[in-house]
Short mmCIF file of all heavy atoms in Angstrom, two decimals:
data_model
loop_
_atom_site.label_atom_id
_atom_site.label_comp_id
_atom_site.label_asym_id
_atom_site.label_seq_id
_atom_site.Cartn_x
_atom_site.Cartn_y
_atom_site.Cartn_z
N PRO A 1 10.55 5.39 -40.38
CA PRO A 1 11.08 4.73 -39.25
C PRO A 1 12.51 5.26 -38.89
O PRO A 1 12.76 5.50 -37.69
CB PRO A 1 11.04 3.27 -39.52
CG PRO A 1 9.97 3.20 -40.40
CD PRO A 1 9.92 4.31 -41.33
N GLU A 2 13.48 5.46 -39.80
CA GLU A 2 14.80 5.88 -39.59
C GLU A 2 14.89 7.31 -39.13
O GLU A 2 16.04 7.57 -38.58
CB GLU A 2 15.62 5.57 -40.70
CG GLU A 2 15.38 6.25 -42.03
CD GLU A 2 14.40 5.54 -42.91
OE1 GLU A 2 13.55 4.78 -42.46
OE2 GLU A 2 14.49 5.84 -44.21
N PHE A 3 13.87 8.00 -39.21
CA PHE A 3 14.03 9.47 -38.78
C PHE A 3 13.09 9.80 -37.53
O PHE A 3 13.00 10.81 -37.20
CB PHE A 3 13.52 10.36 -39.88
CG PHE A 3 14.38 10.30 -41.10
CD1 PHE A 3 14.07 9.50 -42.20
CD2 PHE A 3 15.63 10.96 -41.08
CE1 PHE A 3 14.87 9.40 -43.31
CE2 PHE A 3 16.45 10.83 -42.27
CZ PHE A 3 16.12 10.11 -43.25
N GLN A 4 12.33 8.66 -37.00
CA GLN A 4 11.44 8.87 -35.77
C GLN A 4 12.35 9.05 -34.70
O GLN A 4 13.59 8.78 -34.48
CB GLN A 4 10.64 7.79 -35.66
CG GLN A 4 9.66 7.45 -36.78
CD GLN A 4 8.87 6.24 -36.66
OE1 GLN A 4 8.99 5.54 -35.77
NE2 GLN A 4 7.97 5.98 -37.72
N GLY A 5 11.80 9.92 -33.63
CA GLY A 5 12.41 10.03 -32.46
C GLY A 5 13.47 11.25 -32.35
O GLY A 5 14.26 11.30 -31.45
N LYS A 6 13.49 11.99 -33.44
CA LYS A 6 14.46 13.01 -33.56
C LYS A 6 13.75 14.62 -33.40
O LYS A 6 14.42 15.51 -33.71
CB LYS A 6 15.17 13.08 -35.00
CG LYS A 6 15.91 11.74 -35.09
CD LYS A 6 16.57 11.71 -36.44
CE LYS A 6 17.08 10.28 -36.70
NZ LYS A 6 18.16 9.98 -35.72
N GLY A 7 12.51 14.65 -33.12
CA GLY A 7 11.82 15.89 -32.86
C GLY A 7 11.20 16.42 -34.18
O GLY A 7 10.77 17.56 -34.17
N ILE A 8 11.28 15.72 -35.32
CA ILE A 8 10.86 16.13 -36.55
C ILE A 8 9.29 16.44 -36.53
O ILE A 8 8.85 17.38 -37.08
CB ILE A 8 11.26 15.21 -37.71
CG1 ILE A 8 12.79 15.14 -37.78
CG2 ILE A 8 10.66 15.70 -39.02
CD1 ILE A 8 13.31 14.03 -38.62
N ALA A 9 8.52 15.43 -35.91
CA ALA A 9 7.12 15.53 -35.95
C ALA A 9 6.65 16.80 -35.20
O ALA A 9 5.75 17.52 -35.75
CB ALA A 9 6.43 14.39 -35.27
N GLN A 10 7.36 17.05 -34.11
CA GLN A 10 7.00 18.29 -33.27
C GLN A 10 7.26 19.49 -34.05
O GLN A 10 6.43 20.43 -34.17
CB GLN A 10 7.96 18.39 -32.12
CG GLN A 10 7.77 19.47 -31.20
CD GLN A 10 8.70 19.34 -29.90
OE1 GLN A 10 9.07 18.34 -29.59
NE2 GLN A 10 9.01 20.51 -29.36
N LYS A 11 8.25 19.56 -34.83
CA LYS A 11 8.54 20.82 -35.73
C LYS A 11 7.53 20.78 -36.83
O LYS A 11 7.14 22.05 -37.24
CB LYS A 11 10.04 20.69 -36.26
CG LYS A 11 11.07 20.85 -35.22
CD LYS A 11 12.43 20.43 -35.70
CE LYS A 11 13.40 20.52 -34.56
NZ LYS A 11 14.85 20.28 -35.01
N ALA A 12 7.19 19.68 -37.46
CA ALA A 12 6.25 19.83 -38.47
C ALA A 12 4.83 20.29 -37.94
O ALA A 12 4.19 20.98 -38.66
CB ALA A 12 6.12 18.35 -39.09
N ILE A 13 4.40 19.84 -36.77
CA ILE A 13 3.21 20.46 -36.20
C ILE A 13 3.19 21.82 -36.04
O ILE A 13 2.33 22.67 -36.39
CB ILE A 13 2.90 19.54 -34.86
CG1 ILE A 13 2.55 18.19 -35.16
CG2 ILE A 13 1.67 20.31 -34.15
CD1 ILE A 13 2.62 17.30 -33.92
N ARG A 14 4.30 22.31 -35.55
CA ARG A 14 4.44 23.77 -35.37
C ARG A 14 4.39 24.56 -36.69
O ARG A 14 3.60 25.53 -36.73
CB ARG A 14 5.83 24.10 -34.77
CG ARG A 14 5.89 23.86 -33.29
CD ARG A 14 7.14 24.52 -32.57
NE ARG A 14 7.13 24.25 -31.11
CZ ARG A 14 8.09 23.48 -30.59
NH1 ARG A 14 9.16 23.25 -31.24
NH2 ARG A 14 8.10 23.27 -29.34
N LEU A 15 4.94 23.93 -37.68
CA LEU A 15 4.78 24.58 -39.04
C LEU A 15 3.46 24.57 -39.59
O LEU A 15 2.87 25.59 -40.21
CB LEU A 15 5.77 23.87 -39.99
CG LEU A 15 7.28 24.07 -39.92
CD1 LEU A 15 8.17 23.20 -40.65
CD2 LEU A 15 7.47 25.67 -40.19
N CYS A 16 2.77 23.45 -39.39
CA CYS A 16 1.36 23.33 -39.71
C CYS A 16 0.61 24.47 -39.01
O CYS A 16 -0.32 25.16 -39.67
CB CYS A 16 0.78 22.05 -39.36
SG CYS A 16 1.38 20.71 -40.56
N GLU A 17 0.67 24.57 -37.74
CA GLU A 17 -0.01 25.58 -36.98
C GLU A 17 0.41 27.14 -37.36
O GLU A 17 -0.49 27.91 -37.33
CB GLU A 17 0.41 25.38 -35.54
CG GLU A 17 -0.32 24.17 -34.94
CD GLU A 17 0.02 23.80 -33.49
OE1 GLU A 17 0.85 24.50 -32.79
OE2 GLU A 17 -0.39 22.87 -32.93
N GLU A 18 1.65 27.26 -37.75
CA GLU A 18 1.91 28.47 -38.41
C GLU A 18 1.12 28.83 -39.56
O GLU A 18 0.67 30.04 -39.90
CB GLU A 18 3.38 28.58 -38.69
CG GLU A 18 4.27 28.84 -37.39
CD GLU A 18 5.86 28.89 -37.67
OE1 GLU A 18 6.17 29.18 -38.92
OE2 GLU A 18 6.54 28.44 -36.81
N LEU A 19 0.99 27.84 -40.40
CA LEU A 19 0.42 28.02 -41.75
C LEU A 19 -1.12 28.18 -41.63
O LEU A 19 -1.75 28.86 -42.39
CB LEU A 19 0.74 26.82 -42.68
CG LEU A 19 2.09 26.69 -43.18
CD1 LEU A 19 2.29 25.31 -43.84
CD2 LEU A 19 2.32 27.83 -44.18
N HIS A 20 -1.64 27.38 -40.70
CA HIS A 20 -3.19 27.24 -40.74
C HIS A 20 -3.81 27.85 -39.47
O HIS A 20 -5.02 27.73 -39.30
CB HIS A 20 -3.50 25.78 -40.95
CG HIS A 20 -3.21 25.22 -42.14
ND1 HIS A 20 -3.95 25.20 -43.24
CD2 HIS A 20 -2.17 24.57 -42.61
CE1 HIS A 20 -3.47 24.71 -44.31
NE2 HIS A 20 -2.28 24.34 -43.89
N GLY A 21 -3.04 28.46 -38.68
CA GLY A 21 -3.45 29.06 -37.42
C GLY A 21 -3.24 28.22 -36.20
O GLY A 21 -3.30 26.92 -36.25
N SER A 22 -2.98 28.87 -35.07
CA SER A 22 -2.60 28.01 -33.85
C SER A 22 -3.77 27.39 -33.05
O SER A 22 -3.48 26.55 -32.28
CB SER A 22 -1.79 28.93 -32.91
OG SER A 22 -2.52 29.94 -32.57
N GLY A 23 -4.95 27.77 -33.42
CA GLY A 23 -6.10 27.35 -32.56
C GLY A 23 -6.98 26.48 -33.38
O GLY A 23 -6.94 26.40 -34.48
N ASN A 24 -7.86 25.75 -32.69
CA ASN A 24 -8.96 24.90 -33.31
C ASN A 24 -8.30 23.74 -34.05
O ASN A 24 -8.69 23.64 -35.12
CB ASN A 24 -9.87 25.77 -34.10
CG ASN A 24 -10.65 26.76 -33.33
OD1 ASN A 24 -10.14 27.58 -32.46
ND2 ASN A 24 -11.94 26.81 -33.52
N TRP A 25 -7.67 22.84 -33.40
CA TRP A 25 -7.03 21.64 -33.90
C TRP A 25 -7.66 20.54 -33.40
O TRP A 25 -8.10 20.45 -32.19
CB TRP A 25 -5.60 21.64 -33.85
CG TRP A 25 -4.95 22.69 -34.70
CD1 TRP A 25 -4.63 23.92 -34.48
CD2 TRP A 25 -4.47 22.49 -36.03
NE1 TRP A 25 -3.96 24.50 -35.52
CE2 TRP A 25 -3.81 23.61 -36.57
CE3 TRP A 25 -4.49 21.32 -36.86
CZ2 TRP A 25 -3.26 23.69 -37.68
CZ3 TRP A 25 -3.98 21.35 -38.22
CH2 TRP A 25 -3.34 22.66 -38.47
N GLU A 26 -7.71 19.32 -34.16
CA GLU A 26 -8.19 18.07 -33.60
C GLU A 26 -7.33 16.95 -34.26
O GLU A 26 -6.74 17.09 -35.37
CB GLU A 26 -9.52 17.74 -33.77
CG GLU A 26 -10.06 17.77 -35.21
CD GLU A 26 -11.59 17.50 -35.34
OE1 GLU A 26 -12.29 18.27 -34.63
OE2 GLU A 26 -11.98 16.46 -36.08
N LEU A 27 -7.18 15.86 -33.57
CA LEU A 27 -6.52 14.69 -34.17
C LEU A 27 -6.83 13.47 -33.27
O LEU A 27 -7.40 13.68 -32.08
CB LEU A 27 -4.92 14.95 -34.27
CG LEU A 27 -4.23 15.40 -32.96
CD1 LEU A 27 -3.92 14.04 -32.11
CD2 LEU A 27 -2.99 16.13 -33.17
N ASP A 28 -6.36 12.39 -33.82
CA ASP A 28 -6.49 11.12 -32.89
C ASP A 28 -5.28 10.39 -33.04
O ASP A 28 -4.55 10.48 -34.02
CB ASP A 28 -7.77 10.34 -33.24
CG ASP A 28 -7.83 9.82 -34.66
OD1 ASP A 28 -7.12 8.91 -34.97
OD2 ASP A 28 -8.62 10.65 -35.50
N THR A 29 -5.04 9.52 -32.05
CA THR A 29 -3.83 8.62 -32.08
C THR A 29 -4.15 7.37 -31.28
O THR A 29 -5.17 7.18 -30.71
CB THR A 29 -2.57 9.31 -31.62
OG1 THR A 29 -1.43 8.66 -32.01
CG2 THR A 29 -2.66 9.57 -30.03
N ILE A 30 -3.14 6.54 -31.37
CA ILE A 30 -3.34 5.22 -30.59
C ILE A 30 -3.08 5.32 -29.05
O ILE A 30 -1.97 5.77 -28.79
CB ILE A 30 -2.39 4.22 -31.33
CG1 ILE A 30 -2.66 3.94 -32.77
CG2 ILE A 30 -2.45 2.82 -30.45
CD1 ILE A 30 -1.76 3.03 -33.50
N LEU A 31 -4.01 5.21 -28.25
CA LEU A 31 -3.86 5.26 -26.77
C LEU A 31 -2.61 4.44 -26.30
O LEU A 31 -1.91 4.83 -25.49
CB LEU A 31 -5.10 4.84 -26.09
CG LEU A 31 -5.09 4.88 -24.72
CD1 LEU A 31 -4.99 6.19 -24.17
CD2 LEU A 31 -6.33 4.26 -24.09
N GLN A 32 -2.40 3.35 -26.81
CA GLN A 32 -1.33 2.45 -26.42
C GLN A 32 0.09 2.93 -26.77
O GLN A 32 1.07 2.37 -26.33
CB GLN A 32 -1.58 1.01 -26.94
CG GLN A 32 -2.81 0.27 -26.34
CD GLN A 32 -4.21 0.69 -26.90
OE1 GLN A 32 -4.25 1.48 -27.82
NE2 GLN A 32 -5.23 0.12 -26.44
N GLU A 33 0.16 3.89 -27.70
CA GLU A 33 1.52 4.39 -28.13
C GLU A 33 1.78 5.63 -27.39
O GLU A 33 1.40 6.80 -27.78
CB GLU A 33 1.42 4.75 -29.63
CG GLU A 33 1.43 3.46 -30.48
CD GLU A 33 2.62 2.54 -30.36
OE1 GLU A 33 3.74 3.23 -30.41
OE2 GLU A 33 2.45 1.30 -30.25
N GLN A 34 2.21 5.46 -26.17
CA GLN A 34 2.52 6.53 -25.25
C GLN A 34 3.46 7.67 -25.77
O GLN A 34 3.28 8.78 -25.44
CB GLN A 34 3.00 5.97 -23.90
CG GLN A 34 2.02 5.23 -23.16
CD GLN A 34 0.89 6.12 -22.87
OE1 GLN A 34 0.86 7.09 -22.21
NE2 GLN A 34 -0.41 5.63 -23.30
N LYS A 35 4.28 7.25 -26.69
CA LYS A 35 5.22 8.30 -27.22
C LYS A 35 4.42 9.32 -28.14
O LYS A 35 4.70 10.42 -28.20
CB LYS A 35 6.42 7.65 -27.96
CG LYS A 35 6.05 6.86 -29.22
CD LYS A 35 7.25 6.31 -29.89
CE LYS A 35 6.78 5.67 -31.25
NZ LYS A 35 7.10 4.57 -31.61
N ASN A 36 3.42 8.80 -28.93
CA ASN A 36 2.61 9.64 -29.60
C ASN A 36 1.68 10.52 -28.72
O ASN A 36 1.60 11.77 -29.01
CB ASN A 36 1.69 8.88 -30.50
CG ASN A 36 2.37 8.10 -31.65
OD1 ASN A 36 3.57 8.16 -31.76
ND2 ASN A 36 1.75 7.26 -32.39
N CYS A 37 1.02 9.90 -27.64
CA CYS A 37 0.29 10.73 -26.72
C CYS A 37 1.11 11.75 -26.22
O CYS A 37 0.68 12.98 -25.91
CB CYS A 37 -0.32 9.80 -25.64
SG CYS A 37 -1.44 8.62 -26.39
N TYR A 38 2.30 11.46 -25.63
CA TYR A 38 3.29 12.41 -25.12
C TYR A 38 3.54 13.57 -25.97
O TYR A 38 3.61 14.78 -25.62
CB TYR A 38 4.51 11.77 -24.58
CG TYR A 38 5.56 12.69 -24.11
CD1 TYR A 38 5.40 13.20 -22.82
CD2 TYR A 38 6.59 13.05 -24.88
CE1 TYR A 38 6.32 14.18 -22.29
CE2 TYR A 38 7.64 13.98 -24.34
CZ TYR A 38 7.46 14.54 -23.13
OH TYR A 38 8.36 15.39 -22.60
N LEU A 39 3.80 13.21 -27.29
CA LEU A 39 4.16 14.34 -28.26
C LEU A 39 3.06 15.21 -28.39
O LEU A 39 3.21 16.50 -28.34
CB LEU A 39 4.35 13.68 -29.72
CG LEU A 39 4.33 14.61 -30.89
CD1 LEU A 39 5.57 15.52 -30.80
CD2 LEU A 39 4.30 13.88 -32.17
N TYR A 40 1.79 14.82 -28.52
CA TYR A 40 0.60 15.67 -28.75
C TYR A 40 0.40 16.55 -27.47
O TYR A 40 0.04 17.76 -27.53
CB TYR A 40 -0.59 14.88 -29.26
CG TYR A 40 -0.28 14.35 -30.60
CD1 TYR A 40 -0.47 12.92 -30.75
CD2 TYR A 40 0.13 15.10 -31.66
CE1 TYR A 40 -0.33 12.38 -31.94
CE2 TYR A 40 0.27 14.51 -32.85
CZ TYR A 40 0.10 13.11 -33.08
OH TYR A 40 0.25 12.63 -34.35
N GLU A 41 0.44 15.90 -26.35
CA GLU A 41 0.27 16.53 -25.06
C GLU A 41 1.22 17.60 -24.90
O GLU A 41 1.17 18.79 -24.39
CB GLU A 41 0.09 15.56 -23.94
CG GLU A 41 -1.13 14.81 -24.04
CD GLU A 41 -1.22 13.64 -23.05
OE1 GLU A 41 -0.44 13.51 -22.20
OE2 GLU A 41 -2.12 12.72 -23.19
N LYS A 42 2.55 17.34 -25.32
CA LYS A 42 3.67 18.33 -25.19
C LYS A 42 3.23 19.45 -26.13
O LYS A 42 3.87 20.63 -25.81
CB LYS A 42 5.07 17.62 -25.59
CG LYS A 42 6.20 18.43 -25.60
CD LYS A 42 7.42 17.64 -25.91
CE LYS A 42 8.60 18.48 -26.19
NZ LYS A 42 9.78 17.41 -26.54
N MET A 43 2.80 19.17 -27.14
CA MET A 43 2.38 20.28 -28.19
C MET A 43 1.18 21.20 -27.79
O MET A 43 0.72 22.03 -28.58
CB MET A 43 2.22 19.70 -29.58
CG MET A 43 3.34 19.07 -30.15
SD MET A 43 4.92 20.09 -30.36
CE MET A 43 4.21 21.25 -31.54
N GLY A 44 0.57 20.78 -26.59
CA GLY A 44 -0.48 21.59 -26.11
C GLY A 44 -1.94 21.00 -26.45
O GLY A 44 -2.99 21.55 -26.19
#
């Protein structure tokens, strides 16, 4: 919690995509948590 909202998750996703390839990904999140939906949509 004390590190949320600082862009860390976005950077972690980019690193995962570098390691495992940039295509063919899936995930799910809580529809009611708009900040999560925004993050993933921002990441493509």
Side-chain angles (χ1 to χ4, degrees):
E2 62 267 30
F3 297 99
Q4 292 175 6
K6 300 178 185 304
I8 297 168
Q10 180 178 332
K11 294 173 186 180
I13 292 169
R14 283 194 183 122
L15 286 169
C16 289
E17 290 175 352
E18 285 177 24
L19 290 169
H20 295 274
S22 60
N24 294 52
W25 286 90
E26 64 183 46
L27 56 84
D28 58 78
T29 194
I30 300 170
L31 178 65
Q32 291 81 359
E33 291 297 312
Q34 288 303 302
K35 65 182 187 224
N36 291 356
C37 296
Y38 175 76
L39 164 69
Y40 297 126
E41 290 169 13
K42 180 177 167 181
M43 299 297 300

